[in-house]
Amino acid sequence: MLTEDRAREAALAFLDGLYAGEYTIVLPEGCAREHRWAWGVVFDTQEHIDTGDVMRAPLSRLLYVPQDGSPVGFVPTAFQVDETTAFLETGVTPERLRPGA
């Protein structure tokens, strides 16, 4: 199981690699929430915070950091709120979004 600090570090490393030179990533206090399967981590950009311009931030700002150390990723935007919670608890994609469902 990952600690909150390790989850935040993994999220920041992922984001810094993805957005290097494009955005200044901000992980606000209380940005990580622990679930059984993964941490949910929200983030913002300093550019968005400073200007309020939504064009200065990524469209999706919610990551999952698996508890087992697997790679970090974005929570799919097609998930409804309850599906996001279930995904973070179990790691299972909702049936309606599975190929062939």
Side-chain angles (χ1 to χ4, degrees):
M1 298 291 272
L2 285 178
T3 65
E4 181 177 356
D5 288 340
R6 293 282 186 205
R8 289 172 54 102
E9 290 169 9
L12 189 56
F14 173 80
L15 293 166
D16 282 345
L18 189 62
Y19 295 121
E22 184 176 358
Y23 295 119
T24 306
I25 302 300
V26 175
L27 296 178
E29 191 66 35
C31 69
R33 178 163 295 177
E34 187 175 19
H35 298 271
R36 281 189 310 238
W37 178 73
W39 285 85
V41 180
V42 295
F43 69 97
D44 207 338
T45 67
Q46 192 63 54
E47 295 78 6
H48 175 239
I49 294 167
D50 290 345
T51 66
D53 182 355
V54 296
M55 300 302 289
R56 309 270 324 216
L59 178 62
S60 179
R61 289 179 267 164
L62 175 60
L63 299 175
Y64 62 88
V65 180
Q67 293 280 6
D68 67 3
S70 295
V72 175
F74 286 99
V75 172
T77 57
F79 288 5
Q80 297 169 359
V81 173
D82 59 328
E83 292 171 337
T84 296
T85 301
F87 175 73
L88 292 170
E89 287 291 325
T90 65
V92 176
T93 299
E95 186 174 339
R96 71 178 181 86
L97 298 172
R98 291 185 207 148

